[in-house]
Amino acid sequence: MDPNRILILDYGSQFTQLIARRIREERVYCEIQPPTRTVEWIREWKPRGIILSGGPSSVYGENVPSAEPELFHLGVPVFGICYGMQLITHLEGGVVERGRREYGRAEITVQEPEGIFDGFARGEATQVWMSHGDHVVEPPPGYRMLASTPDLPYAAFQAPDRPIFGVQFHPEVAHTVRGEDLISNFVFRVSGCEPTWTAGSFIETEIERIRAQVGDAHAICGLSGGVDSAVAAALVNRAIGDRLTCIFVDTGLLRQHERETVERTFRRHMGMQLETVDAAELFLDRLRGIEDPEEKRRIIGHTFVDVFEDAAERLGAGASFLVQGTLYPDVIESLSVKGPSATIKTHHNVGGLKADMKFALAEPLRELFKDEVRQVGRELGLPEEMVGRHPFPGPGLAIRVLGAATEERLAVLRRADAIYLEEIRAAGLYDDIWQAFAVLLPVSSVGVMGDERTYENVCALRAVTSRDGMTADWYPFPHHVLARISTRIINEVNGINRVCYDISSKPPATIEWE
């Protein structure tokens, strides 16, 4: 267990994951946990520092998340952000007041350049990002002001005798110009951490954990062809060897030539036992007439488990564990397991699994972000063609055909998507984009082709840039590239007469449409 680690208590901020991102980027391990963790649990976890995230609550509200006052007397540095600062104030005897909501850029002036402001100049003005309703009007007894704004005399403070800090703004967002310096100061100078969190150290620790979890049992891994399941399989294979059987399920919801690509790549590079199961008819039959995206995800998740259980029995694998490439963003968006954050959507491999399935889950990547998974994959020696692939969702094209996923509509989308990716690669843009895909909309539009009226499908194109999938911006294609993609899709794909480009960022939109 890495002794250099930071605990983040999640009070519901949509920025909480960015705090973790910033710390992981400093090569320090951190975990996000719910605010209900007891002081005893925290003491046993032995963090070097504790961060209290922001959140939508007021310290004066009913049934709001709080903390045990003893938390501030463990001898462990604490850094309260926004609501976290207000909570420190409330529990330590200060006064928080409901006031005018402040959202957006503001400028603070540093009064005391020490602690989290080490390296700043006294009197330095710097831009920060505010997002709050309540604010501190009287700090706890003895607390010193570190920074202020014209409207907030206590934009940042510190306890007089302990390394307890609070800021009213959000240092984790890019709009706070020197936010990374504040977090770095807390992690290294205040908490005394060392940058020991690397892909290599993660692999060593996780192999030990997998061996302890699986023991002498066998496991199967559901391969999708994407980087997540590939890295999970490689990691578990290194831990338990030939007691792992990889199963690739042809769901009928795959991209063009996906099955052939996966079989070729995995057999050539992975050196593991790979079994392919053709279950397209089963998946499409169960999805027949289903339009609700959450119901699609649930059905697909349950069907995957049925197929895996049947395959494990048929192959005589006797598997007790199901290995999945579940990532941190999957968990965050699917379930409020880390704090009071809202559920965005159910990922088929998190909230969509059967409660009575025969397998226990092994999820070696559950606490990693996508770019960290890629680093682990490279460290494990996986080829770049596998590690650098765009993400592809487990439910496949079923959540990119909006409405009912019929064989006919899947075939139309499959061809349009293939043309889209071909042109992105031809333009040399594939590696500049986090994820690109086509979506078939459940609407038709009027067109004219060959002097005749058409009434056919609308295809939407999506391409985003991102670091971890938690936030994303739409990719600014050169116009001539979009024009060529649109022309090819309309000319070559029967059933599509209109192409649109999605210029929504995440948030407010998600990357996938369903």
Side-chain angles (χ1 to χ4, degrees):
M1 184 179 294
D2 193 332
N4 295 289
R5 51 207 191 128
I6 299 293
L7 174 64
I8 303 169
L9 296 181
D10 177 16
Y11 286 90
S13 170
Q14 297 305 313
F15 300 138
T16 300
Q17 318 316 321
L18 292 179
I19 303 173
R21 288 288 334 179
R22 300 293 177 258
I23 296 173
R24 295 276 185 93
E25 286 165 1
E26 298 280 5
R27 293 169 51 202
V28 173
Y29 182 70
C30 64
E31 278 190 19
I32 300 172
Q33 294 288 340
T36 51
R37 291 300 187 191
T38 65
V39 164
E40 186 57 36
W41 184 94
I42 294 170
R43 188 180 283 115
E44 292 180 4
W45 201 76
K46 298 179 181 178
R48 287 281 178 88
I50 301 169
I51 294 179
L52 312 181
S53 83
S57 301
S58 167
V59 294
Y60 299 119
E62 295 183 3
N63 301 317
V64 298
S66 188
E68 297 177 61
E70 189 184 348
L71 176 70
F72 307 115
H73 299 277
L74 293 176
V76 179
V78 176
F79 186 10
I81 295 174
C82 199
Y83 177 79
M85 178 189 191
Q86 297 161 16
L87 188 60
I88 293 172
T89 302
H90 183 61
L91 295 176
E92 289 272 280
V95 178
V96 176
E97 183 178 87
R98 297 195 177 208
R100 176 180 57 84
R101 177 172 172 79
E102 187 176 13
Y103 183 84
R105 293 175 176 84
E107 189 175 87
I108 65 166
T109 300
V110 178
Q111 309 293 344
E112 299 292 340
E114 56 187 72
I116 58 174
F117 286 97
D118 189 59
F120 288 67
R122 190 182 306 276
E124 177 180 341
T126 183
Q127 178 183 289
V128 299
W129 184 263
M130 296 285 185
S131 179
H132 66 92
D134 297 0
H135 63 272
V136 177
V137 293
E138 183 180 328
Y143 273 63
R144 297 184 301 123
M145 175 184 63
L146 299 182
S148 62
T149 76
D151 297 322
L152 293 176
Y154 297 100
F157 63 36
Q158 177 186 356
D161 53 350
R162 291 158 292 157
I164 310 294
F165 300 86
V167 296
Q168 185 57 74
F169 52 88
H170 287 271
E172 69 272 25
V173 303
H175 302 301
T176 297
V177 173
R178 297 194 63 180
E180 292 183 2
D181 293 334
L182 291 167
I183 293 175
S184 180
N185 279 338
F186 179 75
V187 170
F188 295 116
R189 295 182 180 277
V190 176
S191 301
C193 288
E194 298 289 336
T196 56
W197 172 248
T198 64
S201 66
F202 168 79
I203 290 170
E204 292 179 7
T205 301
E206 195 60 27
I207 285 176
E208 293 179 4
R209 194 195 65 77
I210 293 167
R211 287 172 177 165
Q213 179 188 13
V214 176
D216 296 328
H218 286 71
I220 62 171
C221 178
L223 291 178
S224 68
V227 60
D228 305 335
S229 61
V231 174
L235 193 54
V236 175
N237 181 64
R238 184 168 291 190
I240 66 173
D242 60 7
R243 288 185 286 120
L244 173 69
T245 299
C246 292
I247 298 177
F248 175 68
V249 180
D250 185 345
T251 62
L253 307 170
L254 303 175
R255 291 172 290 197
Q256 186 165 285
H257 306 311
E258 185 80 6
R259 175 172 174 171
E260 296 88 338
T261 300
V262 169
E263 290 178 329
R264 182 178 64 252
T265 303
F266 276 84
R267 289 203 168 102
R268 183 169 71 233
H269 293 293
M270 303 290 282
M272 290 185 288
Q273 182 180 353
L274 174 63
E275 300 289 339
T276 299
V277 178
D278 189 339
E281 186 175 343
L282 176 62
F283 276 85
L284 292 175
D285 182 63
R286 291 188 178 182
L287 288 170
R288 203 174 310 281
I290 303 300
E291 297 186 359
D292 179 73
E294 283 292 286
E295 183 66 7
K296 287 183 189 177
R297 289 173 177 272
R298 187 193 67 79
I299 289 172
I300 290 168
H302 286 201
T303 305
F304 264 119
V305 172
D306 290 341
V307 171
F308 290 145
E309 289 178 344
D310 179 70
E313 185 175 341
R314 177 172 49 80
L315 295 170
S320 302
F321 289 86
L322 172 62
V323 178
Q324 292 197 138
T326 307
L327 302 192
Y328 215 176
D330 299 337
V331 176
I332 294 162
E333 290 190 340
S334 296
L335 301 167
S336 300
V337 296
K338 297 294 187 183
S341 308
T343 297
I344 306 300
K345 60 187 175 184
T346 301
H347 286 259
H348 80 286
N349 56 344
V350 181
L353 296 177
K354 294 169 56 178
D356 60 347
M357 70 176 183
K358 299 176 182 177
F359 304 110
L361 283 179
E363 298 175 308
L365 312 179
R366 188 179 177 90
E367 299 295 337
L368 297 188
F369 292 95
K370 176 73 76 172
D371 59 327
E372 294 173 327
V373 172
R374 289 195 168 107
Q375 293 170 13
V376 170
R378 294 184 179 101
E379 187 77 16
L380 289 169
L382 300 186
E384 192 60 32
E385 64 182 277
M386 186 182 295
V387 175
R389 295 191 76 191
H390 288 185
F392 185 65
L397 300 183
I399 57 170
R400 293 177 180 174
V401 170
L402 274 59
T406 65
E407 291 184 64
E408 179 184 9
R409 291 178 64 77
L410 286 164
V412 170
L413 176 61
R414 192 173 286 118
R415 180 59 185 143
D417 187 71
I419 291 171
Y420 185 27
L421 294 179
E422 283 174 16
E423 289 299 322
I424 289 174
R425 287 191 170 96
L429 302 176
Y430 186 85
D431 292 336
D432 296 336
I433 298 170
W434 164 269
Q435 189 173 5
F437 55 90
V439 179
L440 195 64
L441 304 187
V443 295
S444 298
S445 73
V446 174
V448 56
M449 302 174 75
D451 295 327
E452 294 184 357
R453 178 186 186 274
T454 62
Y455 189 61
E456 295 181 332
N457 296 290
V458 178
C459 174
L461 305 178
R462 180 78 157 139
V464 298
T465 57
S466 181
R467 286 196 298 180
D468 48 43
M470 293 304 301
T471 61
D473 290 321
W474 57 276
Y475 182 75
F477 274 114
H479 291 178
H480 72 277
V481 175
L482 278 177
R484 177 166 174 77
I485 293 168
S486 175
T487 298
R488 281 198 62 193
I489 289 175
I490 292 173
N491 287 346
E492 299 178 31
V493 183
N494 291 331
I496 293 177
N497 69 354
R498 191 179 299 271
V499 174
C500 304
Y501 186 54
D502 181 352
I503 58 170
S504 308
S505 296
K506 175 186 180 180
T510 55
I511 295 177
E512 295 286 349
W513 278 48
E514 289 192 340

